[in-house]
Each structure stands twice: as C-alpha cells, then as structure tokens.
Amino acid sequence: MGCISAKDVQQSINKNIYNNMKQTHIIAFDQLFLLQSQCLRDLDLLQNKVISRRINMINITKAHLLNNPKLTDAYKLWTWGVSLCNKGNSKGMNVHYSFNNPNESVDKTTAFNYNLGSCKELRFHWFAIILKEYVEYVQNAKQQYPEDRLKAKDIYEKLKTMKEQSSIYLNTLSLAERTEAFTNIEYNMSKINKGLFNADQFYNNLKDLDIELEALIQKSYQYESEADQWGRKLYRDLDVIPIGNDSYRMRAKMNSLVLLYHPGKKRTQEEEDYYYNIKLERSKIKPKVLFNDEDDKQKIFLFKIRWTGCSEVDEKWSEIAFILEKHSEQIKSIKQIRNKIRYELQTYKYVDDNLIEAWKIYCLSLLTELKDVKITLNISDQESATKILKNQQVLNENLELQTKLFSEYFFTIRPSQQKKLKEYWRKLDFDKQWIQGSFMKSDQFKMMHHQNQYNMMTNQAKNIYEFTTQNPLYQAIYQKKYLKLEKEAEDLFTKGIAIFEEMERLYEQYKIDKDVDKLMKQELRSNDVILKKQSKLSKYN
C-alpha cells in the first residue's frame, strides 16, 4: 500500500481531506484511514463522472420532463434537435453521429464520432462532447471500479481486525486520549461503511448503465435514420434562428419540443411541483447578472451577463463587462460635456457644428475680454479637471463657465485615459474554445454538482449567444460613434494651443473689440443667424 510517514498522515487528516475522517493519534489506524479515504474518494470521483454526465445529457435535452427518462430518450431528442437546426436535411448537411465498433479500434474501446452540420446550438454540441466522455467513463468504470472497490473492502477488513484488537493500541494512551481515539475510530468506521454502501449501490447500477449504453449504441443508427422525418416537422412548427452563413440554432425552447412532440409519458404533477420548488429556491440565491444593468437605457454597450458559478469563466465575462462599461461611461461623459459646450457657445446653430468651432469662439471671446492671456493643456492624471488658463485673471460669468466646461472636457479625453481604453478594447474578446466546451476540462467544473454543471452550461450558452450576437453592433458603435468622438477630442487636444495662437494673430490683425463681439451676440436673435454667423467668422477659418 506504500509507505506513508506520520507527518504526512497528520497533515492530511488535519486538513479534513476527502471524507472528513478524524485523527485517532494512533499511527497504525491513521495510516489505514487515510488510505481508505483516498480509495473511497477515487470511487466517488469515478462514480460522479459517470452519473453527472448522464444527468447532464438528460437535462440538456429536457428529457427529465418525461416520466422515468432513459439515455435513449435524451439521445433521440438530441437527434431531433440537430436535424431541426439543419432544416430537416441532415444528410444534405453531412450530419452523422455514430459509435465505432470496438473490434475495429486499436484499444478495443467504443468511441463516439459526430458532425452536426449547420447546427450551432451550443447545448447540442456540448451534449455530443459529454456523450463522448460518458462512453469513455463507463468503459473505464467497468474496468477500474471493481478493482478499487475490492481494494477499499480489503482495507476495511484490516481496520475491522485492528478494531477488534484495539486494546493493544489504546494502552499507550492516556484515559482522555483513549476515549477520543475510540470515539474517532467509531466515527471513521461509520463513514467507511456509508462509503462502501454507496460504492456497492453504484456497482449494481453500473451494470444497468452499461446495458442502457449498449441499447443506445444498437439503436443509434435507427435514431439517425428517423431524425429527419421529425426534423422537417419541427422545422415547420418551431423554426430556427440564423446565426451566420448556413448556421442555425433553435428558435423555440427545448421544453416545447419535448412536451408537444415526444410521445412518451410526461412526469407527474408531484414531480413537477418538486422540481419547480427546487428551481424556485435556486433562483433566490443565484445572482442573475454581474455588470451592465439592462434597465439603464443610457448605456451604449448593453450586455446582460449571467452568473455561471465557474470562477474562471465568470472572471473573463466580468472583464468583458468591465470593458464595455468603461467605454459606455466614456461615451456618455464626452457627449454630456460636448453638448454643454455646444449649447453654451451656441455652435448647434452652425453648419460646422463641432468643438473646433466652439474653441475658436471661446478663444476670440477670451482675447476680447482680456489683453494678456495664455492657454495650457497640461492635464494631469492625478488631478481632477484643472483650469486651462495660465496666469488666469478674473473672468466674466460666461467665460468662467466655458473655461470650466473645456477643462472638464480636456481632462475626460486626456491621452493617457484614451490609451488605456484602447488597450481595454483590444482585449474585448471571449475564449472561442468555450464553444468547443473547453470549460468542461477545468477542475472546478468537474468538481461541481451535476445540477450546478447544467446551470453553468445554460448560462454560459446564453452569455455566448448574447455576446456573439451583439459584438458586431458593439464594433459598429465603436467605429462610428466612439472613434469619431475620440478623433475630435484628439484634434482639439493636439491643436488647441495652435488654434489659440492663430486666433490671437487674427485678433490683432482685425482689432476686434467688445462692441463688435456684443453685436455678434445680438445678431443671434435674427432669423438668418446661420448665414450671418458663417459670414462673421469666415475670415477666421
């Protein structure tokens, strides 16, 4: 059984690993209890691999809506759904799903092969991946489980013998330690009894699961040949959603397919109530979104992210939500300040309605109000919006407000901030391997309860569908709106001082005074204000 040191045993049991067995302070017992817990853990993991895959396949296809569902029911429903997504023309789309003959394989094991054609329903792809794993796990369990089970029983028999001779080991302990040791031995033995009972139960069920899988393998060709006659009917009644060139997924929910079309007996009302209550309780503790509240209609990049429960996956979705949120906030901030500037300087009445024109008017007003004025655009990342005037003198109310607005604007679009946001946007992508079910290989996913695995896959599919559907829109908004605002900001930031100096030269050339500036403001009331404003400023363009 290998050599284990007393230190290894104590460290392992102190951490309450595996089946939470308690330390007895008798090394001979603790060594065997640790080996037993490891053996029971291996049996439990192998059992969970098989059971969780089977339940997930039944859940994915909603076969659990049937009374006493079998794997054959799930497989049949899956072939119907795949055919539906291929518009009932599986053969024309080169769809096939088959089990190879063990006698023809190198290692004499059955393997599942498939091609889903135009079907891009993620859950159907993941069903195929899970089925492929299930075949492998059942075959491994048939070989490995009896050996591990006999090993666990052998250790148990040795522990029973040691327990009967426990006085030999307990004599070296104090009365208090002896009482604790005996109590812990009884506790550990009860845990082992329970573990062995579960192992025996699964061992008996494994035979039935193997028979069920063999029946599926034998009927798979029949289900494949019958799939299109159902697929054509379902396509007429339930329709599909196109998602790219010759790619489709279901428009209706899988529940509709099962409840309306499957001829099998549906589960009883008592079962319906039971599963409804489970779902209700789960909804109370499961957060629905991580970021990007869908109710906030002012956001540009709307994205409702569903919690999956797998931290590696949720972390990436959180990053995507964060990037979209930051760019939404930036667009919102730029547009708000930009509109305030346009309104304050009334450039919305110009044909060339942009901030360059607003900046020219602002510079002329400054030069008219003050004789010696200089502008600086050194915006600090460590500070909030700062004044853009150097050696500022007292300004009138309008110029004070305009100065404040431009200061906020320049701080909002400061180069360091825009550089960071550009780097964020380049990261705006999700792991495309998720579509191939790469998340199923993570240790965290494997250790989840089968119901949590199913919930995770459901929310993962919804997130992927929403993101891949919305991402072209996000990119269009980014290219058409965001980059346009960013380009205007960059131009103003880089050319602001040069424009001021040009306005200063023109001011000296044309000798604008306060009366002229006042007259210009009065003319805003006239009906032909646009033409007059164009004429008045044409010599400065």
Side-chain angles (χ1 to χ4, degrees):
M1 294 181 190
C3 182
I4 302 177
S5 69
K7 182 179 178 182
D8 291 334
V9 172
Q10 184 169 350
Q11 285 180 344
S12 297
I13 294 181
N14 283 345
K15 291 179 181 178
N16 287 325
I17 61 170
Y18 308 144
N19 292 287
N20 297 321
M21 292 191 184
K22 295 181 179 179
Q23 188 174 4
T24 67
H25 302 290
I26 304 173
I27 187 63
F29 272 100
D30 285 342
Q31 282 180 325
L32 284 179
F33 280 135
L34 178 58
L35 286 174
Q36 182 68 287
S37 66
Q38 290 173 327
C39 193
L40 290 175
R41 176 179 179 270
D42 291 340
L43 287 169
D44 190 53
L45 287 175
L46 191 55
Q47 176 179 339
N48 286 338
K49 283 181 178 180
V50 174
I51 291 177
S52 65
R53 264 65 180 177
R54 182 182 183 276
I55 293 177
N56 279 333
M57 286 187 286
I58 288 175
N59 284 340
I60 285 173
T61 56
K62 300 297 182 180
H64 61 262
L65 296 174
L66 302 172
N67 186 32
N68 191 25
K70 303 294 184 183
L71 189 58
T72 49
D73 294 318
Y75 187 87
K76 184 189 298 183
L77 288 167
W78 175 67
T79 61
W80 293 4
V82 171
S83 179
L84 162 62
C85 294
N86 284 277
K87 299 183 177 182
N89 184 28
S90 295
K91 295 179 180 178
M93 296 298 181
N94 194 31
V95 174
H96 63 269
Y97 5 76
S98 59
F99 297 86
N100 72 317
N101 189 334
N103 297 325
E104 297 174 355
S105 63
V106 177
D107 55 359
K108 305 300 181 183
T109 58
T110 305
F112 178 63
N113 303 296
Y114 60 93
N115 181 346
L116 304 190
S118 296
C119 175
K120 292 299 181 288
E121 184 75 33
L122 291 177
R123 289 172 296 175
F124 292 163
H125 278 269
W126 297 341
F127 179 97
I129 294 171
I130 294 171
L131 178 57
K132 195 177 184 72
E133 291 180 343
Y134 180 75
V135 173
E136 176 186 341
Y137 290 151
V138 169
Q139 291 175 149
N140 289 344
K142 286 166 57 180
Q143 298 173 2
Q144 183 181 338
Y145 205 84
E147 297 177 6
D148 288 351
R149 178 168 161 268
L150 288 176
K151 180 180 176 182
K153 287 182 177 293
D154 180 54
I155 298 173
Y156 177 68
E157 292 300 323
K158 292 183 178 182
L159 281 167
K160 279 179 62 178
T161 302
M162 289 176 63
K163 181 185 174 185
E164 292 169 358
Q165 303 170 352
S166 59
S167 59
I168 300 173
Y169 305 96
L170 297 175
N171 286 337
T172 59
L173 303 177
S174 66
L175 180 60
E177 290 175 335
R178 191 182 309 162
T179 302
E180 181 187 3
F182 189 79
T183 302
N184 289 346
I185 289 172
E186 290 291 337
Y187 173 84
N188 291 347
M189 293 297 284
S190 67
K191 296 282 288 185
I192 293 171
N193 274 323
K194 184 177 180 180
L196 290 176
F197 175 78
N198 290 337
D200 289 339
Q201 289 288 100
F202 176 71
Y203 184 67
N204 292 330
N205 291 337
L206 182 59
K207 299 174 184 177
D208 295 333
L209 295 177
D210 187 38
I211 293 171
E212 181 188 50
L213 182 59
E214 286 298 323
L216 171 61
I217 293 173
Q218 292 174 7
K219 293 182 179 179
S220 61
Y221 180 78
Q222 174 191 340
Y223 293 152
E224 180 177 0
S225 61
E226 294 175 352
D228 273 356
Q229 68 184 38
W230 283 97
R232 286 190 291 270
K233 178 176 177 57
L234 294 171
Y235 174 64
R236 289 194 303 269
D237 295 350
L238 303 180
D239 205 4
V240 294
I241 300 173
I243 50 171
N245 297 331
D246 293 327
S247 299
Y248 307 94
R249 63 184 183 91
M250 291 181 61
R251 184 176 295 278
K253 291 185 176 180
M254 197 69 190
N255 303 49
S256 303
L257 191 155
V258 178
L259 295 175
L260 297 177
Y261 297 93
H262 195 283
K265 186 177 179 181
K266 309 305 183 288
R267 63 189 182 191
T268 63
Q269 186 60 46
E270 290 77 10
E271 289 178 310
E272 285 289 339
D273 294 341
Y274 171 75
Y275 286 109
Y276 175 77
N277 290 330
I278 290 178
K279 185 176 181 180
L280 195 63
E281 289 300 315
R282 191 172 69 246
S283 67
K284 294 178 181 178
I285 62 173
K286 185 182 68 173
K288 295 185 181 303
V289 294
L290 296 172
F291 289 94
N292 252 312
D293 186 0
E294 192 179 36
D295 294 332
D296 189 350
K297 300 303 181 183
Q298 292 189 357
K299 286 187 173 69
I300 302 299
F301 302 106
L302 292 173
F303 186 33
K304 182 178 180 180
I305 296 183
R306 294 158 182 84
W307 176 82
T308 69
C310 187
S311 57
E312 294 178 13
V313 173
D314 285 337
E315 184 178 347
K316 183 61 180 175
W317 284 122
S318 297
E319 182 183 19
I320 291 173
F322 173 79
I323 292 170
L324 295 174
E325 184 80 7
K326 284 299 178 184
H327 282 82
S328 293
E329 291 175 356
Q330 183 72 346
I331 286 184
K332 185 176 179 180
S333 298
I334 292 175
K335 291 179 73 173
Q336 284 180 344
I337 300 174
R338 187 178 184 277
N339 288 338
K340 288 179 181 179
I341 292 174
R342 291 172 56 246
Y343 177 81
E344 180 62 25
L345 290 145
Q346 302 199 25
T347 56
Y348 63 89
K349 297 181 178 180
Y350 287 64
V351 173
D352 295 329
D353 180 14
N354 57 62
L355 293 193
I356 297 292
E357 296 299 315
W359 180 249
K360 289 179 180 179
I361 296 173
Y362 169 72
C363 292
L364 285 173
S365 298
L366 273 179
L367 292 165
T368 303
E369 180 73 19
L370 306 172
K371 290 183 178 180
D372 297 318
V373 61
K374 294 297 179 186
I375 287 178
T376 178
L377 298 184
N378 296 323
I379 304 298
S380 171
D381 286 331
Q382 283 72 40
E383 302 174 12
S384 59
T386 55
K387 298 295 183 181
I388 61 175
L389 299 184
K390 195 172 184 179
N391 301 323
Q392 181 184 354
Q393 301 178 38
V394 178
L395 299 174
N396 63 40
E397 185 177 347
N398 289 338
L399 282 175
E400 183 67 33
L401 176 59
Q402 293 167 15
T403 300
K404 179 182 177 181
L405 290 174
F406 273 114
S407 297
E408 291 179 1
Y409 179 77
F410 284 127
F411 182 75
T412 301
I413 54 89
R414 59 194 182 279
S416 59
Q417 171 74 351
Q418 295 308 115
K419 180 181 178 181
K420 182 168 64 175
L421 289 173
K422 284 180 181 178
E423 291 173 353
Y424 283 162
W425 194 263
R426 283 195 289 269
K427 296 179 181 178
L428 185 61
D429 193 10
F430 77 101
D431 187 353
K432 294 180 177 58
Q433 293 301 313
W434 282 345
I435 294 176
Q436 279 76 44
S438 63
F439 58 86
M440 296 182 195
K441 299 177 182 178
S442 70
D443 292 336
Q444 186 181 6
F445 180 84
K446 293 176 182 177
M447 296 301 293
M448 283 181 175
H449 185 269
H450 59 78
Q451 183 62 53
N452 293 333
Q453 287 181 341
Y454 172 69
N455 296 338
M456 187 270 170
M457 287 188 288
T458 299
N459 288 340
Q460 175 75 333
K462 291 177 181 178
N463 284 345
I464 292 174
Y465 286 146
E466 183 168 352
F467 182 79
T468 52
T469 301
Q470 295 295 326
N471 195 34
L473 178 60
Y474 299 153
Q475 298 296 338
I477 292 172
Y478 186 78
Q479 295 293 330
K480 294 178 181 179
K481 292 185 178 180
Y482 185 83
L483 291 184
K484 183 179 179 181
L485 291 172
E486 186 184 60
K487 180 64 169 58
E488 180 185 49
E490 288 178 353
D491 288 346
L492 186 54
F493 199 98
T494 56
K495 299 175 182 178
I497 292 182
I499 291 173
F500 174 80
E501 292 172 351
E502 178 64 14
M503 292 298 103
E504 189 176 32
R505 185 184 65 77
L506 293 173
Y507 172 79
E508 292 296 332
Q509 179 180 348
Y510 292 101
K511 301 296 182 183
I512 296 178
D513 56 26
K514 289 186 179 182
D515 292 334
V516 174
D517 186 60
K518 185 177 179 181
L519 180 62
M520 290 169 62
K521 292 178 181 178
Q522 289 175 348
E523 289 178 351
L524 288 173
R525 301 188 186 95
S526 62
N527 293 330
D528 58 344
V529 65
I530 293 179
L531 292 175
K532 290 190 176 183
K533 267 294 185 183
Q534 280 185 308
S535 175
K536 187 65 66 176
L537 290 177
S538 61
K539 57 185 176 182
Y540 302 118
N541 294 328

